[in-house]
Amino acid sequence: MPDDAGSGIVHIVAPFGRDATSMAAVLATAGLSTQEAATLEALGAALDDQAGVVLITEEAVAGGTEVLLERLSRQPTWSDLPVILLRSPRAHRRSPFESLLPRTINVVELDRPLGSISLLSAVQGALRARAKQFVVRDQMRALADSRSALARSEAELRLIADAMPVLIAFVDTSMHYRFANKAYEAWFDLPVGEVIGKNIREVVGTRVWEERLPIMQQVLAGDEHVFEVSWPARDGRRRDCEVRYTPRRAVDGSIDGFHVFVTDITVARQALEASRQHAQELETVVAERTLELQAQMAAREASEAALRQSQKMEAIGQLTGGIAHDFNNMLTGILSALDIVRLRLEMGRVDDLERFLDTATASSQRAAALTQRLLAFSRRQSLDARPVEVNELVGSMQHLLRSTLGETVRIHTDVAATPLHAALDVNQFESALLNLAINARDAMPSGGALTLRSYPLQLRGGEHASVPAGHYAVVDVADTGTGMPPEVVERAFEPFFTTKPIGKGTGLGMSMVYGFMQQSGGHIAIDSSEGQGTTISLFIPLVEACAEPVQAEPATPMALGDGQSILVVEDDPQVRMLVTVVLEDLGYQVEVVGDADGAMPILASSRRIDLLVTDVGLPGLNGRQLAEIARQSRPTLPVLFMTGYAEKAQERSAFLETGMSMIAKPFLLDAFSDAVRTAMADTVLDAGA
């Protein structure tokens, strides 16, 4: 059978005489499938994913092509259906198709009369092009059906995994570590880079290896194991752990290793033991000292408090297990995706890799957003607080909220008549308002009204239960939704608490807003009752108005370097490699070290350095301390800080001095190159002077 036979159906619209039957007979001799339609309306109804090419005569489009154009406009993204138009020879006039079909349609025009060979050649060529589209369609469907298709970026997964107080690792069938998070450094006093690639025996020791080997062999046979052990800490204190071994299955169903999750449950175990001990003591006291009822009740309350603490720790353990399960899926997706890319490269297939890279980028940005929410709740994000006018910020949210919330939500804005000046990170404030508005929309499933209100408020001491005295700009986000019962209001700001169905919310939205307000020096309060709607109030400290408003810097195109010398200080080898590559590609001379100890001899030398790029969180001296030392001998040296999590860099205005700037991790490389260009602006001007 010819190669074109499986490339789709040839649809023929030739209303005059036996034209359609004749063309179908010619195509049938080559084994092609055909289907005739009397009109364009019939053609539009017949077109589906199996359509390979459309063959139309001039007579068929004499009455207009609106029906055909409307059907072609509804093609899926992978489809560009070929259309072959057979026109009568009219050398003295323009083609009728020029006014009836736009140039964006995949059209080939052929003049009649047309021989059988020419007709067959044109149709087969169109079918070969269509066959490539079918390949793209099948690959897109296969990718959509794959639950493990690049779900997360490996770099962002490591960032989140390293932030967890849990040992997370992957061990292959040869008992060697292929992934380990940063918790291994604290537990085993080994850098992660030294753990990866080592045999388990080299990390945990011979005794533990011999005890665990039978269990690990059962896991590699397909069984999951969860058990508790005592693990001595480095300082000699007792450490109780829950160990979970989970086998990982490859695409073909075979087991290619297992994941390791180890959780420290010492506090929960000690609390439970204390609770049991207190309960025993209480029973003895009740039996022997009935006259001391008040003391016994106090002891019982202490016992119940310890039990509640134990339950909280168990809940945290369950939460950790859930996150560990998600990491299991994420890591599986990343490792599988890397295997796919590596396999294709080994096969010499470099086509279509852009889709995988685009998917990885989108996934990493979603992971970065989740990381920012975690940092916001823990008050560890780097804020870029600037003077703002609150009324203008609230008003500017109108368009975004209307496009986000939909037509069923009516939005009203009521801002103060007088300006309200504050110091805020604009992006984080807008994100907080958007989170509150989305929660309000979800509380109004049948639609309703959302009101954003801003006004000044002078609070005296004790006037508000949860807000201290002060002069505030208050922003209310009020809805007419279902409201919340008291027990939900009490837990609304807890991380990972949500009333939404599984998969509809992370439980970090309200806790992120709470963390942002606390870090900004403000406060948040909830007024809600069931059936009466909810009002969230943000209390933002007012400040004096600036003499001149801060103007946004105009966007500038990416500029290449001209051999300027840059010293990079970064302890993470992956980030260090990527930063070095992009700077060298931009034309800079780069010298790279892993910590402050390696950087100080270079800074103390007479070597020319046009810019210091340093991570804030370095081992030993941090990046801010290194910059202070560098400024002693190089007072005008520009400094660009990189930060993903830095306790002392939470407020940029207090952290940075003149000639210093900051970029938050994770960042895109074009944003990083722009930050380098901006930081070196003064140096470049001096060099050209």
Side-chain angles (χ1 to χ4, degrees):
M1 180 177 292
D3 293 339
D4 302 321
S7 300
I9 299 172
V10 180
H11 290 269
I12 303 173
V13 186
F16 281 9
R18 292 180 50 80
D19 288 352
T21 304
S22 300
M23 287 186 282
V26 171
L27 299 178
T29 61
L32 302 180
S33 299
T34 61
Q35 184 174 336
E36 300 176 20
T39 63
L40 292 184
E41 287 81 1
L43 171 65
L47 291 180
D48 55 21
D49 283 359
Q50 301 303 317
V53 63
V54 174
L55 192 60
I56 307 176
T57 62
E58 179 177 341
E59 297 82 7
V61 299
T65 59
E66 290 81 6
V67 174
L68 177 60
L69 291 178
E70 193 279 331
R71 180 61 184 86
L72 294 178
S73 67
R74 291 187 284 108
Q75 295 183 84
T77 56
W78 58 265
S79 177
D80 189 14
L81 181 63
V83 177
I84 298 177
L85 297 174
L86 302 180
R87 63 185 182 185
S88 300
R90 298 289 190 272
H92 61 280
R93 62 181 180 87
R94 297 175 61 189
S95 168
F97 305 131
E98 293 182 7
S99 60
L100 295 176
L101 291 177
R103 296 183 181 274
T104 55
I105 301 299
N106 184 4
V107 177
V108 174
E109 296 187 28
L110 300 176
D111 289 328
R112 292 184 292 177
L114 187 69
S116 300
I117 296 177
S118 298
L119 175 64
L120 184 59
S121 176
V123 171
Q124 288 178 328
L127 287 175
R128 283 191 292 270
R130 185 63 168 170
K132 296 179 180 179
Q133 297 177 26
F134 287 162
V135 172
V136 174
R137 175 197 64 190
D138 295 339
Q139 291 176 342
M140 290 176 65
R141 289 175 177 174
L143 184 61
D145 294 338
S146 174
R147 298 179 60 186
S148 61
L150 289 176
R152 292 292 187 273
S153 162
E154 182 181 22
E156 295 305 321
L157 284 176
R158 174 166 292 282
L159 177 65
I160 300 174
D162 287 346
M164 296 298 300
V166 179
L167 289 182
I168 303 174
F170 174 73
V171 180
D172 63 17
T173 54
S174 66
M175 299 298 182
H176 287 80
Y177 286 96
R178 296 306 176 197
F179 176 87
N181 71 337
K182 211 162 187 176
Y184 273 79
E185 295 185 7
W187 287 46
F188 293 95
D189 199 20
L190 282 174
V192 173
E194 295 184 16
V195 173
I196 296 175
K198 281 190 175 183
N199 189 279
I200 292 183
R201 175 183 290 188
E202 298 177 78
V203 177
V204 303
T206 302
R207 181 183 62 82
V208 176
W209 160 264
E210 293 176 348
E211 291 176 354
R212 306 275 179 82
L213 182 58
I215 297 177
M216 291 185 287
Q217 290 174 338
Q218 293 178 24
V219 174
L220 290 176
D223 296 333
E224 183 181 38
H225 277 264
V226 180
F227 54 93
E228 296 182 2
V229 296
S230 292
W231 194 300
R234 286 189 293 173
D235 57 4
R237 291 184 298 176
R238 160 188 170 186
R239 173 182 280 169
D240 297 317
C241 307
E242 180 188 86
V243 182
R244 181 184 298 271
Y245 290 160
T246 304
R248 190 187 81 169
R249 297 186 180 275
V251 178
D252 61 359
S254 63
I255 296 175
D256 60 358
F258 61 92
H259 291 290
V260 180
F261 303 98
V262 183
T263 306
D264 190 335
I265 59 172
T266 306
V267 176
R269 181 74 66 82
Q270 290 175 342
L272 183 60
E273 292 174 356
S275 175
R276 292 173 178 172
Q277 181 179 356
H278 289 162
Q280 293 174 357
E281 292 174 354
L282 285 174
E283 291 177 0
T284 303
V285 171
V286 170
E288 297 178 356
R289 304 173 64 185
T290 56
L291 297 179
E292 299 180 4
L293 179 59
Q294 185 175 1
Q296 294 176 15
M297 292 300 297
R300 182 175 298 277
E301 290 176 359
S303 175
E304 291 174 351
L307 179 59
R308 286 194 297 270
Q309 180 64 20
S310 173
Q311 292 171 341
K312 288 182 179 179
M313 296 306 299
E314 291 179 2
I316 292 175
Q318 293 175 353
L319 170 63
T320 304
I323 296 177
H325 176 268
D326 290 340
F327 281 152
N328 187 1
N329 291 335
M330 297 176 192
L331 293 172
T332 299
I334 288 297
L335 294 173
S336 299
L338 292 175
D339 287 342
I340 292 173
V341 173
R342 184 178 296 108
L343 177 61
R344 289 197 173 191
L345 290 176
E346 290 175 353
M347 297 172 61
R349 292 181 56 190
V350 297
D351 59 298
D352 206 30
L353 292 183
E354 290 81 359
R355 290 191 300 116
F356 292 93
L357 298 176
D358 291 342
T359 301
T361 300
S363 299
S364 67
Q365 290 171 343
R366 289 194 297 272
L370 175 60
T371 304
Q372 287 301 316
R373 289 189 172 190
L374 291 170
L375 291 176
F377 171 75
S378 64
R379 308 183 211 173
R380 292 297 184 267
Q381 63 181 339
S382 175
L383 293 182
D384 189 12
R386 300 188 179 187
V388 297
E389 206 286 298
V390 175
N391 293 326
E392 293 179 359
L393 281 182
V394 173
S396 67
M397 291 290 292
Q398 286 263 356
H399 178 72
L400 175 61
L401 292 179
R402 293 188 190 281
S403 61
T404 301
L405 304 184
E407 298 178 354
T408 61
V409 178
R410 302 183 305 279
I411 301 175
H412 307 288
T413 302
D414 181 12
V415 299
T418 58
L420 302 176
H421 298 282
L424 288 172
D425 185 312
V426 174
N427 291 334
Q428 294 297 330
F429 179 75
E430 291 177 346
S431 178
L433 285 186
L434 183 60
N435 267 296
L436 296 178
I438 291 174
N439 283 348
R441 178 201 63 189
D442 294 342
M444 300 183 290
S446 300
L450 174 71
T451 301
L452 290 118
R453 183 183 305 108
S454 63
Y455 54 94
L457 180 64
Q458 178 73 50
L459 279 182
R460 295 185 295 271
E463 189 173 353
H464 197 288
S466 60
V467 182
H471 197 190
Y472 297 95
V474 182
V475 177
D476 288 344
V477 180
D479 64 62
T480 58
T482 57
M484 295 181 283
E487 61 270 21
V488 174
V489 172
E490 183 179 356
R491 302 187 60 192
F493 298 126
E494 291 183 12
F496 303 103
F497 173 77
T498 179
T499 58
K500 298 177 182 179
I502 296 177
K504 297 297 183 181
T506 63
L508 286 174
M510 290 294 288
S511 62
M512 182 274 291
V513 178
Y514 175 86
F516 165 66
M517 291 306 301
Q518 291 290 312
Q519 192 175 350
S520 300
H523 304 274
I524 184 171
I526 301 178
D527 181 13
S528 181
S529 58
E530 289 185 273
Q532 301 299 318
T534 299
T535 299
I536 308 292
S537 299
L538 306 181
F539 294 80
I540 307 164
L542 286 172
V543 299
E544 293 295 329
C546 290
E548 295 182 3
V550 178
Q551 299 294 332
E553 295 183 2
T556 56
M558 184 184 300
L560 299 177
D562 191 20
Q564 293 91 342
S565 176
I566 299 179
L567 174 61
V568 176
V569 187
E570 169 60 58
D571 60 321
D572 186 281
Q574 294 177 339
V575 177
R576 190 164 62 233
M577 180 271 291
L578 293 172
V579 168
T580 302
V581 169
V582 71
L583 290 177
E584 289 178 345
D585 287 350
L586 289 174
Y588 298 107
Q589 295 182 5
V590 185
E591 185 153 1
V592 186
V593 294
D595 52 27
D597 292 338
M600 284 192 290
I602 301 175
L603 292 168
S605 68
S606 59
R607 194 178 315 175
R608 175 181 175 180
I609 300 176
D610 298 309
L611 176 65
L612 170 63
V613 178
T614 177
D615 189 9
V616 176
L618 294 172
L621 293 176
N622 62 41
R624 186 62 176 84
Q625 294 169 328
L626 175 62
E628 292 177 359
I629 296 174
R631 285 288 181 90
Q632 293 177 7
S633 58
R634 302 172 183 262
T636 62
L637 176 64
V639 181
L640 174 60
F641 293 107
M642 303 179 293
T643 177
Y645 165 81
E647 290 186 356
K648 298 181 180 179
Q650 296 169 29
E651 183 58 54
R652 295 191 184 186
S653 59
F655 185 84
L656 301 177
E657 294 180 358
T658 302
M660 295 181 179
S661 56
M662 180 183 294
I663 185 170
K665 298 177 182 176
F667 48 74
L668 297 177
L669 295 183
D670 58 345
F672 173 72
S673 64
D674 185 61
V676 169
R677 177 195 56 76
T678 302
M680 294 186 65
D682 294 338
T683 303
V684 172
L685 290 175
D686 293 341

